[in-house]
Amino acid sequence: ESLDKGLEKSKESFFGKLGKALVGKSTVDDEVLDNLEEILVSSDVGVTTTLKIIERIQQRVARDKYLGTSELDRILKEEVAGLLSENNTDNIEEFETPAGKKPYVIMVVGVNGVGKTTTIGKLSAQFTKKGKKVLLGAADTFRAAAVDQLKLWGERVGVPVIAKGMNTDPSAVAYDAVQAGVDQNVDVIIIDTAGRLHTKVNLMAELTKIKRVMQKVIPDAPHEVLLVLDGSTGQNAMIQAREFTKATEVTALAITKLDGTAKGGVVIGISDEFKIPVKYIGVGEKVGDLQTFNRTEFVDSLFR
Ligand code: GDP
């Protein structure tokens, strides 16, 4: 329900434009496809992914000789679902961690302002609700505000936060957090990292060091590298995804702030272009508005 509400703007914008483009049209012809292409691009699906979708619909038109515009919604939904299925599943277990990975270490990356801290707070609350013991590591040591905010979330949710002084080496914090997590026998350790895209080399060096140091305690950590992106920034999110995937191996995406934006299509483009599963989406400010991504539900919400 909050998913439907969260994606409302994207949906309205998309179908508003599509409706106009289809006035007086009964069959899907080149003109309709050109218009659809433009609408998908302006919905932040991304050019590469848009062309892929258009091509697939073209193939259908060629095969079936005739495609009525009344069927376009359904076809589009099928094609987008098909595309998303290449990198995503329908059955991410809600706020669960794989058996045999205890503590499960999540390293969170992303630039400032995308909703990183909020996402970590929401994740902590959801994991806690599931009966899991959570511990946070404030390895974003460059912003006092980031550490304070994480501590606030820790208090609110009732989970410990490992922090050190400002400007201490982030990897030292990560090490302490992972060690504390092992000592306290927690289920999930979530490490916040600094999101400065200053220079790619620095970012890469910093993230590599954090990983190396935590591996001294848990050899296969981090089990998840979660990149947080602000969905409302559309193509900027795409650019950030490019930078971070070059700097480190990103294994999952969290796309925030999809409520209040018409750029929900960015989820489709990013997942397709980077071949990384979307694990969480943020569709509001409340804790429950961070949801595990379900591709069928997402497509159902976005394409009626
Ligand atoms: P950080 O700098 O990346 O840690 O960003 P914050 O976690 O401080 O979030 C920045 C702002 O975005 C805050 O005001 C959050 O409440 C807001 N925010 C985060 N996620 C969402 C979301 O899914 N929807 C909405 N509407 N706001 C969000």
Side-chain angles (χ1 to χ4, degrees):
E1 189 198 330
S2 76
L3 180 65
D4 283 339
K5 230 177 149 279
L7 295 175
E8 217 162 62
K9 282 210 178 145
S10 296
K11 185 174 180 161
E12 273 170 20
S13 156
F14 182 81
F15 284 103
K17 289 177 193 162
L18 188 63
K20 273 185 209 144
L22 293 183
V23 168
K25 288 280 185 185
S26 57
T27 63
V28 175
D29 57 16
D30 286 347
E31 199 188 330
V32 168
L33 287 175
D34 278 350
N35 281 328
L36 179 61
E37 184 179 321
E38 223 177 283
I39 296 167
L40 286 169
V41 171
S42 74
S43 303
D44 281 278
V45 170
V47 175
T48 315
T49 305
T50 293
L51 291 178
K52 233 187 250 183
I53 295 169
I54 295 295
E55 199 174 300
R56 290 179 183 200
I57 298 179
Q58 260 165 348
Q59 282 166 2
R60 282 209 190 199
V61 174
R63 194 187 57 215
D64 301 343
K65 304 284 185 286
Y66 174 90
L67 184 63
T69 50
S70 59
E71 286 185 277
L72 193 54
D73 288 1
R74 181 179 56 81
I75 301 283
L76 192 61
K77 193 165 146 179
E78 278 174 23
E79 294 302 344
V80 171
L83 204 63
L84 280 175
S85 72
E86 292 169 16
N87 310 301
N88 295 282
T89 65
D90 263 349
N91 47 14
I92 296 176
E93 270 200 276
E94 283 205 353
F95 307 104
E96 282 300 334
T97 53
K101 304 269 183 218
K102 184 181 173 170
Y104 185 71
V105 181
I106 305 171
M107 177 167 114
V108 183
V109 301
V111 305
N112 300 334
V114 294
K116 205 152 43 94
T117 316
T118 309
T119 299
I120 293 172
K122 288 172 174 174
L123 273 175
S124 308
Q126 300 275 23
F127 279 124
T128 303
K129 222 161 60 184
K130 280 265 177 167
K132 301 204 175 311
K133 254 178 97 173
V134 180
L135 180 137
L136 304 179
D140 183 351
T141 56
F142 294 91
R143 290 187 305 158
V147 176
D148 290 345
Q149 233 195 330
L150 205 66
K151 282 182 179 165
L152 253 159
W153 270 106
E155 278 166 29
R156 200 191 299 180
V157 181
V159 305
V161 180
I162 303 297
K164 290 183 152 216
M166 276 287 293
N167 296 319
T168 46
D169 188 339
S171 61
V173 181
Y175 180 86
D176 283 4
V178 172
Q179 188 62 60
V182 170
D183 292 345
Q184 296 174 31
N185 197 27
V186 305
D187 298 290
V188 189
I189 300 170
I190 308 176
I191 308 287
D192 186 18
T193 65
R196 300 164 307 153
L197 269 183
H198 37 210
T199 73
K200 201 175 69 203
V201 178
N202 282 353
L203 180 71
M204 195 185 296
E206 190 168 299
L207 296 177
T208 304
K209 189 171 175 195
I210 293 176
K211 278 186 177 179
R212 198 177 58 231
V213 164
M214 61 171 77
Q215 283 162 0
K216 288 184 186 170
V217 185
I218 302 175
D220 63 343
H223 304 103
E224 184 169 317
V225 178
L226 183 68
L227 171 62
V228 182
L229 298 168
D230 178 345
S232 72
T233 63
Q235 293 310 293
N236 260 341
M238 202 74 111
I239 291 165
Q240 288 164 19
R242 202 159 291 134
E243 293 303 318
F244 276 96
T245 49
K246 277 188 219 152
T248 192
E249 192 196 342
V250 175
T251 65
L253 302 173
I255 304 185
T256 64
K257 307 189 203 179
L258 289 171
D259 53 309
T261 177
K263 298 175 186 289
V266 75
V267 171
I268 303 162
I270 288 184
S271 171
D272 178 51
E273 193 156 321
F274 297 97
K275 308 289 172 222
I276 301 169
V278 180
K279 191 157 184 186
Y280 304 106
I281 52 171
V283 289
E285 308 255 18
K286 293 197 298 291
V287 164
D289 293 334
L290 183 77
Q291 307 186 344
T292 48
F293 183 74
N294 176 306
R295 86 180 126 92
T296 303
E297 282 175 10
F298 180 80
V299 172
D300 280 347
S301 266
L302 202 55
F303 293 106
R304 64 189 167 205

